[in-house]
Amino acid sequence: MTASHSPADNTAQTANQSSGKPAKTGKLEVADLITIGVFAALYFVMVCVATLVSTLFTGGFGSIFLPAIAALISGCVYMLLAARLGKFGGITVMGVVIGLFLFISGHFVLSFIASIVFPVAADLIARVGKYKSKALLLVSYVMFSYGLTGPILPLWFMKDAYIASLQARGKDAAYIDGVFANINTATFFISMAAILVCAIIGGWFGQKMMKKHFIKAGIA
Amino acid sequence: MHSATTSTKAHLSGTGAPLRVEGVAMTSSHNSSNQRTLDPRTKLFLLLAANLMLFFHVSVITQIIMVLLFLVPLAAAGRWKMTANFGLTFAILTGLGFLDPEAIGLPWLHVVSALAVGCTMMLPCFITGAYAFTTTSPSAFICAMRRMRAPESVVIPCVVVIRFFPTIAEDYRQIRNAMALRGIAAGGWGLVRHPAQSLEYILIPLLMNATNVAQDLSVAALTKGLGRESVHTSRTEIRMQIVDWLMMIAVMVPLMLDVAGVMR
């Protein structure tokens, strides 16, 4: 009896708590920005862990699966941020901050563009569901995960570089094509598909964890 | 009475002294870093230049010149070991890139060679990134961002991110200790054996704490006037010096020459 009663009680309480906050205008306030910062830091740590794991698994071409692994493990962070903030702009700012830190830590500058475009899209999708709809949050998380494709873009640039250096050494075009026949599009699609699958699993895991821990504790 | 004061003094020196020493060390290193590293904006410029190299596929000669240039500030900041490591890695990778698999008769070596060329291209970014990350104090970074008119909604999260990293490390240690106490995921491979479980057991407490810290930080920051609209002052001063401009020009010259096609 009490067990069936308490979730509703708690959700009412959280609703009260969130509506009782002073920052209920649509704009981001300092408190929200600090929340975003805290979660961005956690997300960045997740990205670093993902880089480590990805490098261990795939050796030299380390970061091909970086976005996928990051998507797999950071669902909780994203879901909790969306639940805590529940207003437009938060996800975007987090993406921008992550992109900035990726750039400063020596990643490719195009990663910055990816980490603005995709989070904005994710933010818009989540807003349609008012940051409550589970399905839309999952979709938005998948979208957000593609924002991390920036760091792996150089793989395609460096292919060009190797081709250029082969050409400089007088290899003919057919030979070069042969070398790169299976590196090009196949890996691209595999890595993109991996992001999709991993983001869905990670987001689902995150929502499960939310239900198991945070909603009960009245934090989310 | 007397013994009490001495005991408190001893107590103070026992706990306070390391802190104070640390503080002194920090400020002194901070001062010296101010003198011997470049302006944060110059570092950003170097990062951009390294990225442009990747973009324009510069030739090997330009690459070598640029990497040497990038290593100079790193050495000047006193990071000898890092400089040596990067220099050595670059030399080895460049050598591997020149490898001709056909001549040796081992076609599969193309993988090694391609990897080497790829890593050589990435390395300038990593060098400048490591330089920016290890030699910039948070306050200088924030000051630079404000100077560049970055919107406050980006500056504040960045401050928090930098401030929050040590907290995460500390929390992680404590969580692992607590887990070890209960015999969960003890030992080197314990975490890997149940990945989902370890993810849950580590991440959930981290997130719980993060929400609390976020609230505490907001209160503290608002008290200190972070929410004010007007211009914020900073104790750390950043200034573009002659060295900064020289460095920028020095980096731009080989890049421009290469893009213009003079140094091919």
Side-chain angles (χ1 to χ4, degrees), chain A residues 108-109 161-162 175 212-213, chain B residues 51 54 102 110 121 200 203:
Chain A
F108 192 50
V109 75
Y162 190 57
Y175 170 79
K212 184 173 169 190
H213 295 285
Chain B
N51 269 301
L54 200 60
E102 297 294 294
H110 266 296
M121 294 205 65
E200 179 186 349
L203 194 55

Side-chain angles (χ1 to χ4, degrees), chain A residues 178-193:
Chain A
V179 171
F180 283 102
N182 50 2
I183 296 187
N184 187 16
T185 40
T187 41
F188 183 77
F189 281 116
I190 289 175
S191 119
M192 292 299 133

Side-chain angles (χ1 to χ4, degrees), chain A residues 30 33-34 37-38 44 46 84 93 103-104 106 108-109 154 157-158 161-162 169 171 175 205 209 212-213 219, chain B residues 51 54 57 97 99 102 110 113 118 121-122 125 129 141 153 160-161 165 199-200 203 207-208 210 215 218 227:
Chain A
V30 172
L33 293 175
I34 289 172
V38 165
F44 193 69
M46 288 292 142
R84 293 283 296 170
V93 171
F103 172 57
I104 294 174
F108 192 50
V109 75
F157 277 90
M158 104 199 176
Y162 190 57
R169 278 188 263 148
K171 309 283 181 200
Y175 170 79
F205 183 75
M209 288 297 114
K212 184 173 169 190
H213 295 285
I219 302 186
Chain B
N51 269 301
L54 200 60
H57 303 320
L99 219 70
E102 297 294 294
H110 266 296
S113 198
M121 294 205 65
M122 300 286 287
C125 288
F141 176 63
S153 55
V160 177
V161 169
F165 277 139
L199 182 65
E200 179 186 349
L203 194 55
L207 282 169
M208 287 275 184
Q215 276 168 3
S218 330

Side-chain angles (χ1 to χ4, degrees), chain A:
Chain A
M1 175 67 193
T2 45
S4 69
H5 188 69
S6 62
D9 199 31
N10 275 329
T11 45
Q13 197 184 339
T14 48
N16 267 337
Q17 197 184 9
S18 57
S19 66
K21 272 187 203 164
K24 210 47 199 173
T25 52
K27 249 186 88 201
L28 292 173
E29 320 244 331
V30 172
D32 301 325
L33 293 175
I34 289 172
T35 309
I36 296 168
V38 165
F39 281 92
L42 276 173
Y43 190 76
F44 193 69
V45 170
M46 288 292 142
V47 173
C48 293
V49 172
T51 314
L52 196 73
V53 173
S54 168
T55 314
L56 281 181
F57 278 166
T58 54
F61 279 112
S63 40
I64 287 187
F65 292 113
L66 188 162
I69 295 173
L72 194 62
I73 59 179
S74 46
C76 301
V77 181
Y78 186 84
M79 293 303 164
L80 190 56
L81 175 75
R84 293 283 296 170
L85 219 56
K87 51 175 93 167
F88 185 69
I91 296 165
T92 312
V93 171
M94 176 151 123
V96 171
V97 171
I98 292 289
L100 199 64
F101 272 86
L102 282 178
F103 172 57
I104 294 174
S105 58
H107 282 283
F108 192 50
V109 75
L110 277 186
S111 66
F112 200 57
I113 297 167
S115 64
I116 291 175
V117 172
F118 285 106
V120 168
D123 219 348
L124 287 171
I125 293 173
R127 191 169 76 153
V128 172
K130 299 218 164 40
Y131 299 90
K132 293 269 186 328
S133 151
K134 274 193 170 180
L136 282 174
L137 270 180
L138 200 57
V139 175
S140 116
Y141 178 62
V142 171
M143 194 52 106
F144 186 80
S145 296
Y146 277 98
L148 266 185
T149 46
I152 63 171
L153 283 175
L155 279 181
W156 283 272
F157 277 90
M158 104 199 176
K159 195 195 86 180
D160 290 352
Y162 190 57
I163 290 177
S165 90
L166 280 181
Q167 273 168 346
R169 278 188 263 148
K171 309 283 181 200
D172 66 321
Y175 170 79
I176 295 169
D177 285 346
V179 171
F180 283 102
N182 50 2
I183 296 187
N184 187 16
T185 40
T187 41
F188 183 77
F189 281 116
I190 289 175
S191 119
M192 292 299 133
I195 297 175
L196 181 68
V197 173
C198 290
I200 290 173
I201 297 174
W204 172 78
F205 183 75
Q207 286 179 337
K208 210 180 95 184
M209 288 297 114
M210 288 278 293
K211 200 172 167 191
K212 184 173 169 190
H213 295 285
F214 296 112
I215 295 176
K216 226 184 279 175
I219 302 186

